[in-house]
Amino acid sequence: MYTLYTDAATNNDTQHSAAGILIVHAGEQQQLRTSLPDSDNHHAEFHAALAGFEALLKLLNGEAQTATVQYFTDSKIVADSVEKRYAKHYQDLVDQLLAKQSAFNLVITQWVPEKQNQGAHNLAQQALHEND
C-alpha cells in the first residue's frame, strides 16, 4: 500500500500557489514540493492532489494498476468532491483527479485535520516561500 498526503499553500495577495506532496511506502518517505498555477486555495488544493497522483504514477512507472493508495487531504472540498464525484464549481478538476485515480487498483480518500497533514503542509509552505 502507498500512502499519499497532499496540501496546497496560497499567497492571497499574489495568488501564487504551491504544493507539498508526501509519499510513504514500505517505511520510506518521498517528500516533494512543486509550484502550482496561480489560483485561490480551493483550486490549489485540487491541483496539489493532481500533482500528488501524477508523482505517484511516475514513481510506480507503469505499475499503478496493481497499487492500493490511501490518500489523505486536509481539504474538505477535495475529499467530499472525490467521494461524490461532483463539485459545482470545480467539476473539471474533479474529473481530472478521478481520471488520475482510475489508473490505480484502489484509492481510499480520507479527509484529515490540518494538524494530521503537517508533513505535506510544511512542504507546501516551503515551496510557496521559495517561489514568492
Side-chain angles (χ1 to χ4, degrees), residues 46 77-91 94-95 98:
F46 281 102
I77 193 157
V78 170
D80 290 348
S81 298
V82 167
E83 181 183 337
K84 295 174 186 173
R85 306 179 73 80
Y86 173 78
K88 183 175 183 178
H89 301 291
Y90 308 99
Q91 191 61 46
V94 172
D95 291 343
L98 291 171

Side-chain angles (χ1 to χ4, degrees), residues 53-119:
F53 278 98
E54 185 61 36
L56 192 51
L57 283 168
K58 287 180 183 173
L59 179 70
L60 290 171
N61 196 26
E63 299 297 320
Q65 68 275 7
T66 63
T68 297
V69 180
Q70 189 166 16
Y71 171 52
F72 293 100
T73 177
D74 61 14
S75 170
K76 276 282 217 190
I77 193 157
V78 170
D80 290 348
S81 298
V82 167
E83 181 183 337
K84 295 174 186 173
R85 306 179 73 80
Y86 173 78
K88 183 175 183 178
H89 301 291
Y90 308 99
Q91 191 61 46
D92 182 53
L93 292 167
V94 172
D95 291 343
Q96 290 177 50
L97 184 53
L98 291 171
K100 289 256 188 249
Q101 289 181 348
S102 72
F104 298 91
N105 178 51
L106 175 65
V107 175
I108 302 161
T109 300
Q110 184 174 347
W111 175 83
V112 292
E114 185 178 309
K115 66 182 177 187
Q116 292 179 22
N117 199 27
Q118 283 300 303

Side-chain angles (χ1 to χ4, degrees), residues 2 4 7 9 13 31 35 38 50 53 58 84-85 87 91 95-96 101 109 125 129:
Y2 289 82
L4 173 65
D7 196 20
D13 294 331
Q31 300 178 358
S35 58
D38 290 354
L50 288 164
F53 278 98
K58 287 180 183 173
K84 295 174 186 173
R85 306 179 73 80
Q91 191 61 46
D95 291 343
Q96 290 177 50
Q101 289 181 348
T109 300
Q125 291 294 321
H129 292 304

